Amino acid sequence: EAQVTQNPRYLITVTGKKLTVTCSQNMNHEYMSWYRQDPGLGLRQIYYSMNVEVTDKGDVPEGYKVSRKEKRNFPLILESPSPNQTSLYFCASSLQGLGTEAFFGQGTRLTVV
Amino acid sequence: SQQGEEDPQALSIQEGENATMNCSYKTSINNLQWYRQNSGRGLVHLILIRSNEREKHSGRLRVTLDTSKKSSSLLITASRAADTASYFCATDTGTASKLTFGTGTRLQVTL
């Protein structure tokens, strides 16, 4: 089954404790991206990757890091989480990026206390 | 920055009625997509319309695009309770490698 898998689904952590949210897709997609969703703000892009070793900032990259060492994986790293990073996070992939359907993971609800 | 803005923000209709939601955007686009999100879950792609297309159909969905007005509409005909969800438009401009989402329309379909 074609899918994008995020882990964990729920996470509560403390300020400053480094964490990684994993994202994996099994569709051999080139393009992957991370979004955060906050009430009243819709989805905002954090980072995206057009292929292995190619990443770039989205609209709200501050406080986040990503890497793309393999085509299927695109982890999101919060080196020092803060309460304003409490949000619902989505990973997405698409075959060639723009102009093609994006497949989304089920989301990771992160709470930073 | 938000490219698309959906209207209305919330819509409540009865089963069997049609639901129309609109999306306006600010800059010229290459493609516009509509997605559905059930409460707190991942988004699901519904339909993609390219800038040189004016109308597209998929099952009970009809999407129109008016590039002169920088707007799109999504019509769901004969709505069902299972259509209850939030609907988002997303645009790409072709110059920046990203998909920009609007803030969504929350649709409630009651029996």
Side-chain angles (χ1 to χ4, degrees):
Chain A
E1 180 189 354
Q3 60 185 4
V4 177
T5 304
Q6 289 179 233
N7 280 297
R9 291 289 312 279
Y10 302 92
L11 180 59
I12 301 174
T13 190
V14 296
T15 299
K17 185 177 181 182
K18 180 180 178 180
L19 67 91
T20 299
V21 184
T22 63
C23 174
S24 180
Q25 50 94 2
N26 63 359
M27 296 167 280
N28 201 36
H29 284 171
E30 293 184 350
Y31 186 93
M32 298 185 74
S33 57
W34 277 101
Y35 296 86
R36 60 177 290 172
Q37 185 176 28
D38 302 288
L41 296 177
L43 280 86
R44 294 178 292 167
Q45 191 181 55
I46 303 170
Y47 269 95
Y48 65 93
S49 168
M50 298 184 74
N51 214 323
V52 176
E53 303 291 1
V54 180
T55 63
D56 208 345
K57 298 177 181 179
D59 293 318
V60 288
E62 295 77 20
Y64 304 95
K65 285 176 58 177
V66 293
S67 68
R68 188 92 181 271
K69 295 188 173 67
E70 307 165 281
K71 199 169 189 178
R72 63 183 293 127
N73 296 323
F74 190 45
L76 179 70
I77 302 156
L78 285 72
E79 295 267 357
S80 182
S82 63
N84 65 11
Q85 292 178 298
T86 293
S87 187
L88 179 59
Y89 291 87
F90 290 101
C91 177
S93 74
S94 57
L95 185 60
Q96 292 177 327
L98 305 182
T100 57
E101 172 186 355
F103 291 79
F104 281 78
Q106 286 301 296
T108 295
R109 189 169 292 279
L110 172 66
T111 302
V112 184
V113 298
Chain B
S1 61
Q2 297 303 125
Q3 162 77 311
E5 294 290 335
E6 285 89 345
D7 170 62
Q9 289 187 342
L11 179 61
S12 183
I13 60 174
Q14 290 192 319
E15 203 171 47
E17 294 180 334
N18 295 342
T20 300
M21 48 206 94
N22 304 295
C23 169
S24 59
Y25 54 90
K26 298 173 185 172
T27 62
S28 296
I29 61 168
N30 270 8
N31 307 284
L32 186 144
Q33 303 183 46
W34 284 92
Y35 287 81
R36 184 187 75 228
Q37 182 183 33
N38 291 91
S39 181
R41 307 194 68 177
L43 280 73
V44 175
H45 180 263
L46 295 176
I47 199 164
L48 180 153
I49 187 165
R50 305 196 187 280
S51 60
N52 61 354
E53 297 175 310
R54 292 296 167 257
E55 188 170 313
K56 209 161 182 180
H57 296 256
S58 176
R60 293 185 295 113
L61 306 180
R62 172 177 167 251
V63 169
T64 61
L65 179 64
D66 187 335
T67 53
S68 66
K69 294 181 180 178
K70 293 187 170 60
S71 68
S72 173
S73 67
L74 170 67
L75 168 68
I76 304 174
T77 60
S79 62
R80 306 166 182 167
D83 294 328
T84 293
S86 291
Y87 292 81
F88 295 87
C89 67
T91 57
D92 70 77
T93 64
T95 54
S97 297
K98 65 177 184 177
L99 204 58
T100 304
F101 285 82
T103 51
T105 291
R106 184 178 301 176
L107 173 66
Q108 175 78 41
V109 182
T110 56
L111 295 170

